[in-house]
């Protein structure tokens, strides 16, 4: 336990959060199985959420728009 204090600087914490979000989004796009704690006997099970191709295209457009805003 950290008793409410950070082990890293606020800047480093933000970098960790952003990197985690990017990895999460990449895993979702590539349909990487994720683990849930709903398995038999409380164990972990892999689960894959299907991605709709139209939803995937919309997400790619959103990513392109976000990158354009960042570049500007």
């Amino acid at each position: 336990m950290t008793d409410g204090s950070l082990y890293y600087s606020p800047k480093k914490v933000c970098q960790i959060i952003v990197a985690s979000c990017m990895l999460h989004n990449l895993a979702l796009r590539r349909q990487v199985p994720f683990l849930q704690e709903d398995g038999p006997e409380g164990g972990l099970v892999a689960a894959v959420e299907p991605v709709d191709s139209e939803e995937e295209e919309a997400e790619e457009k959103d990513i392109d728009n976000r990158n354009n805003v960042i570049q500007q």
Side-chain angles (χ1 to χ4, degrees), residues 4-69:
S5 60
L6 295 175
Y7 283 124
Y8 301 103
S9 69
K11 180 179 180 179
K12 187 64 157 182
V13 171
C14 289
Q15 291 172 337
I16 292 169
I17 292 170
V18 169
S20 298
C21 292
M22 292 172 70
L23 289 171
H24 170 77
N25 290 339
L26 180 63
L28 286 178
R29 270 190 269 141
R30 294 186 180 207
Q31 298 181 349
V32 175
F34 63 94
L35 299 178
Q36 294 180 338
E37 296 184 29
D38 303 29
E41 303 171 12
L44 297 175
V45 294
V48 176
E49 291 183 11
V51 176
D52 184 5
S53 62
E54 289 179 17
E55 181 181 319
E56 191 174 279
E57 285 181 29
E59 184 178 333
E60 288 176 10
K61 287 180 184 177
D62 290 341
I63 291 170
D64 289 340
N65 288 338
R66 183 191 67 212
N67 289 336
N68 288 335
V69 169

